Amino acid sequence: LLLLQNEVKNKVEKRWLTTEELSVYIGYSKESIKNFIKDDELILNYHYYKKDRKNIFDKNAIDKWIMSGDNGISMSNEYLVNKILNVA
């Protein structure tokens, strides 16, 4: 039963990752991830969110960022429109 529970747990894909989990997932150190945040390569409320003073990363947004291939930020149109409207 314990093996079955572990197998089911491994089949469920998490959307939200901690800094440690993201580090393993993308193969960068936790320090590199902190630098991505500091350098605004990862954007608050798009790539990650703050929950109880911890960073929680959106795996879907991270995947898009990685696949953009230009080390830039690949943001959705919806996010850009909301960002512009909130600034105005």
Side-chain angles (χ1 to χ4, degrees), residues 25-67:
Y25 179 67
I26 65 174
Y28 282 91
S29 68
K30 292 189 289 184
E31 190 64 34
S32 292
I33 293 169
K34 289 177 186 177
N35 287 335
F36 290 147
I37 292 170
K38 185 180 84 173
D39 296 340
D40 292 327
E41 289 188 54
L42 296 177
I43 298 176
L44 181 62
N45 297 327
Y46 182 74
H47 294 109
Y48 71 99
Y49 298 82
K50 290 214 176 264
K51 181 72 176 165
D52 298 327
R53 296 175 35 188
K54 292 185 178 187
N55 293 327
I56 305 297
F57 296 88
D58 183 344
K59 185 175 176 279
N60 298 335
I62 296 296
D63 287 343
K64 288 178 187 176
W65 173 71
I66 289 172
M67 293 186 317

Side-chain angles (χ1 to χ4, degrees), residues 46-47 61 64-65 68 70 72-76:
Y46 182 74
H47 294 109
K64 288 178 187 176
W65 173 71
S68 70
D70 60 1
I73 299 165
S74 176
M75 294 181 276
S76 71

